[in-house]
Structures are given as structure tokens and as C-alpha cells.
Amino acid sequence: MRQWPTEVRIKEVGPRDGLQNEQNWVHTHDKVAWINMLSDSGVSEIEYSSFVHPKWIPALSDAREVGKRIKRNPNVRYSALVPNMKGLEHALEAGIDGASIFMSASDSHNKGNINKSIADTYSILKEVIDEAKSAGKHVTGYISTVFDCPFEGKVTPTQVLRICEKLYSLGVDDLSLGDTIGTAVPSQVENLLEVLLKYYPQEKMIMHFHDTRGMAIANIMTSMEYGITRFDSSVGGLGGCPYAPGAAGNVATNDVLYLLHGMGVKTGIDEKKVKEAGFYIQKKLGKQLPSKSLMYAAAQG
Ligand code: HMG
Ligand code: MG
């Protein structure tokens, strides 16, 4: 019989990864009310917004306002996406417990996303990591396109390993590995984890699956077989990467909770509260979100 972890930690990325790709503007007060609902769900981390250039991600141009207005639950780590020193300055002003820095494993996605080559990105991130650490903040490093790049195709585990080595040497606390365009199948997850887990413990690795082709739940199962206990997900399956054409939202928190709780894996999160948060943001966006569990719950009334 296979062994599953007894406990899993979810980072709710809906307010950042989820909303960043939305055309419909969600009012600041609605974002704040939604994040407050999520804060009350038992989740241990919420990525509440993104301090990137507002021209690039207009949906999150109110990051500072949101950060200042959300009601902080002391049991929740509030993190935000930070690309550079300007972003960090704004994030510290708005209030963060954690800075999420980010780059890609493939050069062309990195250029499309943050306008820099991989080589030129490190010096920018070093400054951000040093400053965030000296301000006492947790730093998570995202690596995008760890399986496939929309422009370059397959990315090898060795390419990803090189970036892991570099980001750990720069001082990140942990890494979130992004299947940015949702192409990976479980054998790719196995191939990557077989390599990375030779060098880094499972506790330092977070898996971040987008569900473009419906493979995310299978990939989470495979990751758990490798002892991974940390996953990013987004309420309702909201989201996508505006600089990865065709990419769908993150795996839905509602579906992940259904899976984990059904298997007896603890998360500390109240599924009902996440369902209410899903209905709330669905209504604000005026559209049906892709989570199967949420659709089922809506049909039950
Ligand atoms: P750039 O144009 O190269 O920046 O953009 P720059 O340093 O040359 O500065 C140009 C102007 O932007 C200057 O203003 C700066 O002050 C300003 P000017 O002097 O011309 O008036 N500027 C800023 N303003 C506000 N906030 C800032 C900031 N930085 C510079 N932080 C930059 C570089 C990184 C800013 C830009 O490319 C950008 O904002 N990119 C955002 C891309 C993004 O948000 N992508 C989606 C998130 S990543 C993702 O979703 C993947 C993930 O989920 C994992 C996965 O799924 O794989 C994490
Ligand atoms: Mg993402």
C-alpha cells in the first residue's frame, strides 16, 4: 500500500495568480472582502497581490491599497509577488510577511515575462532577496516553465536544477516549481523530482500546477508519492499567466481540498469556507469558474 503524507500545506494564490489574468476589474473593497474570507478559512498562506508594473498587470494595480486594507490573521502568512527593488519597496510599504520572487527556467519565457535574460535576472533578484531577508521576510522563489516552455518546448530537469542551485545560493527559503502552461503529465513530474530531490529536501519544494489540460490533480498525486507536502492552488481554479499564451488557471483549491480530505490528508482548511469564497469571487467576476467541486456545489444549491 502506498504512503500519502498525513498533512499538506496549501498556499492560496487566487488573489494574485488568479486575478492577474482577469479582464474584469474587481473593486479593491471586493478584493479585500474576498481575501478576508480566505484568511478565515484556515489556510496558512495567501499570496494577496503582485507588486509588478501596473501597465503589465492592470488587474492588480491596487496591490498597495489591498495590502493596507486587508484584515491580518496572525495565523496566515501574507505574501506577494515582487519582481525587483521597486516592487519590494511598495510591498514593504503595503505590508508583507513573505516576498515571492520569480523567474523562468527558459530564457524566452523569462524575457517575455520580466523583460530580462536569465543571466541578467540574478543580480536583480539578489538585491531583492538580500533586502527582504534583512527586513525579516520569508522569501519564496518561483521557477516558471519547469516542464515545458510555450516558446522553447521541453525544459530539462538539469536546466531547472541549475536555477534551483542559483536561487538557493542567493538565499531563498524555498522554491515553488511552476507548470506554467499546464502541460506536464505525471512521468514528467517524476523525472523532475527524481533529480531535484537528490539535492533538496521535500519540505523546501512547493509544486505549482496550472490545470490547462486537466492533469494537475494527477500531478499532485504523483508529487505526494515523492513526499511533497506543499502545493499552490487558486479558489475556483481562477487564473493563468498573461505571458504564457493559452495557459489556464491554477489547480482549484476546492478540488485539491476535496481530494486531500477525501483521502484523509489534513490541511487545516475549512472546505465550506473556501466554497463560499469561490461563489463570492465568481459572482464578482460574473462568470463560472472551472472548479468541478464548485460547479457541483452550485448545482446542489
Ligand atoms: P521593465 O520595463 O524592464 O522595467 O519591466 P524597468 O526596470 O526597465 O523600468 C521601466 C519603468 O517601470 C520605470 O518607470 C520603472 O520605475 C517602472 P519610468 O522610469 O519609465 O517611469 N517599474 C515599476 N513600476 C511599478 N512597479 C514595479 C516596477 N518596476 C519597474 N515593480 C518588470 C520589468 C519586471 C517590472 C515588468 O516586466 C513586469 O512588471 N513584469 C510583470 C510580469 C508578470 O507579472 N507576470 C505574471 C506573473 S509571473 C507568473 O504568473 C508565473 C507564476 O505564477 C509561476 C508559474 O505559474 O509558473 C509565478
Ligand atoms: Mg502561476
Side-chain angles (χ1 to χ4, degrees):
M1 176 140 156
R2 275 175 292 193
Q3 291 288 308
W4 308 114
T6 51
E7 229 168 299
V8 154
R9 260 173 68 196
I10 305 274
K11 176 176 25 139
E12 174 56 55
V13 295
R16 192 281 299 174
D17 207 342
L19 287 187
Q20 74 182 9
N21 210 22
E22 286 301 326
Q23 308 305 318
N24 294 347
W25 172 253
V26 177
H27 288 292
T28 307
H29 55 89
D30 291 330
K31 286 177 183 148
V32 169
W34 181 46
I35 295 166
N36 289 346
M37 289 173 87
L38 292 167
S39 292
D40 193 37
S41 71
V43 73
S44 56
E45 180 166 355
I46 301 174
E47 202 164 76
Y48 74 76
S49 196
S50 178
F51 293 89
V52 295
H53 198 300
K55 184 183 75 192
W56 289 57
I57 308 286
L60 302 180
S61 56
D62 57 353
R64 274 191 274 186
E65 270 309 295
V66 171
K68 285 176 186 164
R69 284 165 58 180
I70 49 178
K71 192 168 147 221
R72 308 280 171 144
N73 177 336
N75 300 319
V76 177
R77 181 193 290 154
Y78 294 91
S79 54
L81 207 66
V82 170
N84 53 18
M85 285 303 285
K86 183 152 193 170
L88 182 65
E89 192 189 305
H90 294 167
L92 292 173
E93 185 197 322
I96 47 163
D97 305 309
S100 306
I101 55 119
F102 61 106
M103 63 178 293
S104 311
S106 53
D107 216 46
S108 29
H109 186 264
N110 204 62
K111 282 199 186 109
N113 201 29
I114 53 173
N115 203 23
K116 302 276 177 308
S117 67
I118 287 180
D120 291 343
T121 301
Y122 292 127
S123 56
I124 296 168
L125 294 186
K126 180 180 175 1
E127 223 188 329
V128 175
I129 296 166
D130 286 350
E131 188 69 25
K133 293 305 295 178
S134 63
K137 308 303 174 189
H138 183 96
V139 179
T140 294
Y142 275 110
I143 308 178
S144 290
T145 63
V146 298
F147 301 107
D148 295 284
C149 167
F151 313 112
E152 293 174 31
K154 291 273 170 259
V155 173
T156 67
T158 314
Q159 276 173 276
V160 181
L161 178 63
R162 294 287 160 266
I163 296 179
C164 290
E165 285 166 350
K166 188 73 189 174
L167 290 180
Y168 276 128
S169 78
L170 295 181
V172 298
D173 293 296
D174 42 30
L175 286 174
S176 178
L177 305 171
D179 182 12
T180 316
I181 52 173
T183 48
V185 293
S187 55
Q188 283 175 278
V189 176
E190 280 179 29
N191 292 343
L192 181 64
L193 292 178
E194 284 285 349
V195 173
L196 299 188
L197 296 179
K198 283 190 189 128
Y199 301 90
Y200 304 105
Q202 283 94 337
E203 310 82 74
K204 292 248 182 189
M205 295 290 171
I206 304 155
M207 300 305 288
H208 178 103
F209 292 111
H210 283 263
D211 204 20
T212 315
R213 294 164 181 79
M215 296 293 116
I217 289 286
N219 290 334
I220 286 177
M221 291 292 291
T222 303
S223 307
M224 287 201 295
E225 285 180 31
Y226 277 80
I228 300 288
T229 56
R230 301 175 65 191
F231 297 97
D232 296 341
S233 63
S234 155
V235 173
L238 189 67
C241 177
Y243 300 98
N250 300 92
V251 63
T253 309
N254 314 72
D255 299 349
V256 177
L257 293 179
Y258 180 81
L259 170 82
L260 296 175
H261 294 168
M263 289 171 62
V265 179
K266 291 196 183 82
T267 64
I269 303 175
D270 184 334
E271 237 172 295
K272 230 171 108 208
K273 289 189 175 171
V274 177
K275 181 181 75 178
E276 293 310 322
F279 288 151
Y280 179 88
I281 197 66
Q282 192 161 263
K283 198 162 165 215
K284 295 296 166 194
L285 288 166
K287 67 175 198 189
Q288 171 80 63
L289 295 179
S291 163
K292 290 267 188 358
S293 310
L294 201 62
M295 276 184 222
Y296 180 77
Q300 295 303 299

